[in-house]
Amino acid sequence: SGKTELAINILKQSPVEIISVDSVMVYKGCDIGSAKPSNEILKKYPHHLINYCEPNSIFTVSDFVNRSLELIKEIHRKNKLPLFVGGSMMYFKSLLDGLDDLPERNNIYREELKGIKDKKGIKSLYSLLEKADPVYSNKIHPLDERRIIRALEIVELSGKPLSSVIELNTKKPLNDKYDVHQFAIYEDDRALLHKRIEDRLKIIINSGLVDEVRNLLTQYDISDDHPIRKSVNYKQAIAFINEEYDFDTFSNKALFATRQLAKRQITWLRSWHDINLYNIDLSQEIEKNIKNLATFL
């Protein structure tokens, strides 16, 4: 909510358009669990990449980067600044650093790999990767299902090991073409941060998180590897709906997962290259700096 309010304050007085950087807000129907801005806010201050696709599709990091590059051009043609706002750090990093030229995901082949995993376990897939790409397999955990499947998929589709593609370094950093200015707000007081997280989670749960997730599972065919199933709040709500644990356990696990996410985000930010860090109490300074940038258009 702090990021949204900041973006809106900037938008009121500056020629900018907001682009959401969130791996869940991009999906229609994922409103409560992602703390998506209200319909009133979105109507008054439109955001790109919110409610962008149906939950039975998968919006990948590559999709985000490619669409963001298109949006940057479109917004510049309007003599405005694209303002990326959000908290999905991998999305930010992929946009800033660029992506290697890799083949798109192939659901048919992924189903084949999933069948092997279901019959023989994830270690059987890791053994396949050791043979196909020993260099990359040594860099990842033997139980890292997502990376193992993606690496095997790349070998299957391109005929090349992922490690060799990475060595070619086909990435195109964003600042090679554009002036990029980065700002981040964070809460330095850990106790206050935890209190805000707890209050926010209570609102999310009391607003109908479990009913929202039930509707999503009923209305859409959401695959096992879908980002929604792995996202904070949604992952825990799905487990509760599946009766894997009781309500109190669901709430506690969601709270712990949110705290861990916040901790990882702060760690990312403190090690981030070329970023201006502000405590949340100084958010007006960010507004001022971005508005000053906008005046150069």
Side-chain angles (χ1 to χ4, degrees):
S1 60
K3 297 188 294 290
T4 301
E5 291 170 6
L6 173 62
I8 288 172
N9 287 337
I10 295 168
L11 185 62
K12 287 178 179 178
Q13 302 180 40
S14 306
V16 302
E17 290 191 17
I18 300 172
I19 303 172
S20 170
V21 185
D22 192 285
S23 60
V24 183
M25 288 188 189
V26 68
Y27 297 106
K28 298 175 183 177
C30 294
D31 305 329
I32 298 171
S34 67
K36 191 178 291 181
S38 67
N39 289 332
E40 290 77 18
I41 289 177
L42 292 176
K43 185 176 181 180
K44 191 172 183 179
Y45 305 105
H47 290 50
H48 297 282
L49 300 186
I50 286 184
N51 298 326
Y52 183 72
C53 57
E54 301 289 340
N56 55 348
S57 62
I58 293 182
F59 189 76
T60 66
V61 174
S62 177
D63 292 330
F64 167 76
V65 172
N66 292 332
R67 181 57 186 143
S68 293
L69 294 175
E70 292 172 355
L71 285 169
I72 290 172
K73 293 179 181 178
E74 292 173 13
I75 293 169
H76 280 165
R77 282 197 289 268
K78 302 175 188 177
N79 287 325
K80 294 183 178 181
L81 286 177
L83 178 63
F84 289 86
V85 180
S88 293
M89 309 307 293
M90 183 58 70
Y91 277 30
F92 274 120
K93 182 172 175 58
S94 299
L95 178 61
L96 289 168
D97 295 348
L99 294 174
D100 287 303
D101 187 13
L102 300 174
E104 297 291 332
R105 56 185 285 138
N106 184 289
N107 290 329
I108 295 176
Y109 184 64
R110 282 176 175 254
E111 284 300 315
E112 293 180 18
L113 295 178
K114 185 177 181 297
I116 296 173
K117 188 207 77 171
D118 291 343
K119 289 181 180 179
K120 301 180 180 180
I122 187 61
K123 290 185 179 180
S124 64
L125 292 184
Y126 184 73
S127 296
L128 292 176
L129 182 60
E130 285 182 308
K131 296 175 183 177
D133 191 350
V135 175
Y136 185 72
S137 66
N138 284 330
K139 296 180 179 179
I140 64 174
H141 194 280
L143 301 180
D144 191 336
E145 180 179 340
R146 182 177 64 83
R147 287 186 171 86
I148 292 170
I149 288 178
R150 180 55 176 156
L152 288 171
E153 181 180 48
I154 289 168
V155 173
E156 174 71 14
L157 298 178
S158 70
K160 301 175 184 178
L162 176 57
S163 56
S164 68
V165 177
I166 292 174
E167 287 178 359
L168 293 174
N169 191 18
T170 56
K171 295 180 179 180
K172 297 178 181 178
L174 192 66
N175 60 13
D176 281 359
K177 189 172 183 180
Y178 301 105
D179 291 327
V180 179
H181 299 268
Q182 302 179 70
F183 305 89
I185 55 174
Y186 71 103
E187 178 53 72
D188 203 29
D189 187 327
R190 186 64 58 87
L192 183 55
L193 175 62
H194 285 182
K195 179 66 167 57
R196 285 176 171 164
I197 289 173
E198 186 174 354
D199 291 344
R200 176 178 178 269
L201 180 60
K202 287 179 181 178
I203 293 172
I204 287 173
I205 292 176
N206 292 334
S207 297
L209 170 63
V210 174
D211 287 339
E212 174 177 276
V213 176
R214 278 202 183 99
N215 290 335
L216 287 169
L217 296 176
T218 301
Q219 189 174 355
Y220 299 98
D221 180 17
I222 301 176
S223 61
D224 291 342
D225 64 340
H226 200 289
I228 291 175
R229 289 186 179 272
K230 302 173 184 178
S231 299
V232 173
N233 295 331
Y234 290 94
K235 178 180 179 179
Q236 292 76 28
I238 290 171
F240 170 66
I241 290 169
N242 292 337
E243 300 182 346
E244 295 177 28
Y245 36 67
D246 60 23
F247 184 82
D248 287 341
T249 304
F250 148 59
S251 300
N252 290 333
K253 284 184 175 290
L255 179 60
F256 177 77
T258 307
R259 286 177 175 175
Q260 291 298 106
L261 175 60
K263 182 179 179 180
R264 289 195 301 272
Q265 287 177 324
I266 292 173
T267 300
W268 274 80
L269 291 174
R270 285 176 174 165
S271 62
W272 206 268
H273 176 66
D274 194 24
I275 194 168
N276 298 286
L277 277 174
Y278 296 85
N279 188 277
I280 195 169
D281 295 330
L282 300 175
S283 60
Q284 289 183 346
E285 290 296 316
I286 308 180
E287 293 180 38
K288 178 181 177 181
N289 287 334
I290 295 179
K291 289 171 184 175
N292 287 338
L293 286 174
T295 61
F296 288 100
L297 282 172

